[in-house]
Amino acid sequence: ILHSQSLIGGKNIIKTNLSANALQNYNITYERSLNHFVSLSASYSSMPKRNLPFKGLVKQFIDNPNIDFNNFKVANNAITLEGRFYLGLQKMSGIYIAPYARFGTMNVDIPVNYTYNVPVGILTVPVTPPPAILTGSIHSKSLGAYVGMQYQLLTKLVLDIWVIGGHYGTSDGSLQYKAPLLTPNSALDEIKRTVDQTNAKPFSLTTSIVQNMDGTKSVVTKSDGPWAGIRGAGITVGLRF
């Protein structure tokens, strides 16, 4: 009996969110009880590079017809630090309120279609090369809170349901297209002009052409702005020990 109570009343839980895993956002969380009402946890999540999910939603925030959203690639990883305040009498069980801090990195490959003119005698001929692919990372820092319910189903099995919550913070990033050697300046100017047409409010974008040490040139876009997300409708299972 004492051994069974020790298993049920363990101070540690290792768990994973099945809802996120189904979306290829793989994750693991460690939760540690401090007392009957409070616990601390740390989570790590990672999504391998894939085609952009929720393209329709993203297009509402990134308005540029020259961006090829069908070949837009994205990956991300995040570390989340969380405190939980349980409203029930059992340790790490019942309804809880959880404030948290999240630190994320999103890696992207963004194809940009463009056309530039080449002088041929007294004429100019339009040339449409392969898309310029802007690659880089966007870093975010956010604070938030959510409400959930956690219950013990069996001796070691735990069910954790995230109900609703969200976070808000800031982000900054840098994207770069490194042009091949001997790329004409007119092509680089057109890439910059095309990127400058992007309406990504409330994000601020600043694009420039820079000289690289190896003699090539790059189109570099800097971004900064707010960062927000919804956390909820998640089903997590874990083992308590």
Side-chain angles (χ1 to χ4, degrees):
I1 294 176
L2 290 176
H3 179 62
S4 176
Q5 290 176 340
S6 176
L7 290 173
I8 293 174
K11 294 184 177 182
N12 309 286
I13 300 176
I14 293 289
K15 50 192 171 181
T16 187
N17 187 306
L18 301 181
S19 306
N21 290 339
L23 298 175
Q24 301 180 3
N25 191 13
Y26 306 110
N27 61 92
I28 189 167
T29 297
Y30 170 69
E31 182 179 2
R32 171 77 176 182
S33 175
L34 299 183
N35 55 46
H36 273 76
F37 305 103
V38 180
S39 72
L40 296 177
S41 70
S43 304
Y44 176 76
S45 63
S46 178
M47 184 181 75
K49 189 163 286 188
R50 54 176 291 193
N51 288 331
L52 180 68
F54 311 116
K55 284 186 290 187
L57 179 62
V58 174
K59 286 181 179 180
Q60 296 181 23
F61 293 93
I62 304 177
D63 182 13
N64 188 328
N66 295 299
I67 292 178
D68 181 3
F69 287 95
N70 291 326
N71 291 299
F72 194 127
K73 304 291 184 183
V74 61
N76 69 56
N77 59 78
I79 294 174
T80 304
L81 304 177
E82 177 182 310
R84 285 191 174 185
F85 300 90
Y86 288 92
L87 306 183
L89 297 179
Q90 293 184 348
K91 185 187 301 181
M92 290 195 295
S93 182
I95 298 173
Y96 60 80
I97 300 172
Y100 63 92
R102 175 168 291 178
F103 308 90
T105 299
M106 178 180 293
N107 301 311
V108 297
D109 296 341
I110 305 178
V112 177
N113 298 314
Y114 69 103
T115 298
Y116 69 99
N117 294 320
V118 175
V120 179
I122 61 174
L123 303 175
T124 57
V125 177
V127 176
T128 303
I133 300 179
L134 291 168
T135 63
S137 300
I138 300 171
H139 305 282
S140 62
K141 296 175 286 186
S142 307
L143 296 175
Y146 70 107
V147 176
M149 300 176 290
Q150 181 162 277
Y151 298 102
Q152 190 141 341
L153 300 182
L154 300 172
T155 302
K156 292 185 178 183
L157 185 62
V158 171
L159 174 66
D160 185 5
I161 301 174
W162 302 353
V163 179
I164 190 64
H167 52 268
Y168 185 84
T170 61
S171 70
D172 62 84
S174 178
L175 309 177
Q176 173 178 309
Y177 167 67
K178 185 176 181 180
L181 193 64
L182 303 181
T183 298
N185 289 333
S186 58
L188 294 171
D189 291 339
E190 185 59 30
I191 295 171
K192 179 182 180 302
R193 188 189 71 82
T194 302
V195 174
D196 282 338
Q197 293 176 346
T198 304
N199 181 0
K201 292 182 179 179
F203 300 97
S204 173
L205 303 179
T206 304
T207 302
S208 59
I209 298 172
V210 300
Q211 182 77 47
N212 300 315
M213 296 290 290
D214 60 2
T216 62
K217 293 183 178 180
S218 292
V219 178
V220 177
T221 297
K222 302 285 187 179
S223 72
D224 66 83
W227 197 261
I230 296 174
R231 191 175 184 185
I235 299 177
T236 299
V237 296
L239 295 175
R240 186 169 180 171
F241 57 97

